[in-house]
């Protein structure tokens, strides 16, 4: 159609969207992977749902930690004070 103006996202917006989608997939795969791994171990060892629950919680912990690292990199946030990436001589205080 001629005369119709369609706003297309800029390349930087597309890159941001792609990275945020990647974060979402990472979270989903880590939680599902932990649950499926725990379920497989439960079936193999003949235990109750305890390893499925433990695997899901482990996947959730990995997902949260990874999501935090990815989002701080994507959004350009500085690390919180006292974290390993924060050097003591550069606290920003005079």
């Amino acid at each position: 159609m001629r005369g119709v103006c369609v706003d297309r996202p800029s390349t930087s917006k597309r890159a941001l969207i792609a990275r945020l989608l990647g974060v979402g997939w990472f979270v989903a795969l880590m939680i599902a992977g932990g649950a499926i791994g725990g379920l497989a171990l439960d079936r193999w060892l003949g235990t109750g749902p305890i390893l499925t629950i433990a695997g899901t919680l482990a996947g959730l912990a990995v997902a949260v930690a990874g999501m935090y690292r990815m989002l701080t990199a994507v959004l350009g946030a500085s690390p919180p004070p006292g974290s390993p990436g924060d050097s003591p001589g550069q606290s920003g205080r005079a």
Side-chain angles (χ1 to χ4, degrees):
M1 285 166 68
R2 283 189 94 181
V4 175
C5 181
V6 177
D7 289 335
R8 298 183 116 196
S10 67
T11 305
S12 63
K13 281 187 179 181
R14 287 183 190 171
L16 177 63
I17 290 168
R19 290 187 79 178
L20 291 175
L21 283 172
V23 172
W25 276 105
F26 174 79
V27 169
L29 290 174
M30 291 301 104
I31 295 172
I36 291 169
L39 181 63
L41 284 173
D42 271 335
R43 288 184 178 174
W44 183 52
L45 298 173
T47 58
I50 190 71
L51 295 178
T52 302
I53 295 169
T56 303
L57 292 175
L60 182 63
V62 170
V64 168
M67 181 177 58
Y68 175 77
R69 288 181 55 122
M70 285 187 221
L71 288 177
T72 55
V74 168
L75 301 176
S78 61
S83 69
D86 185 37
S87 59
Q90 300 175 349
S91 64
R93 295 186 191 129

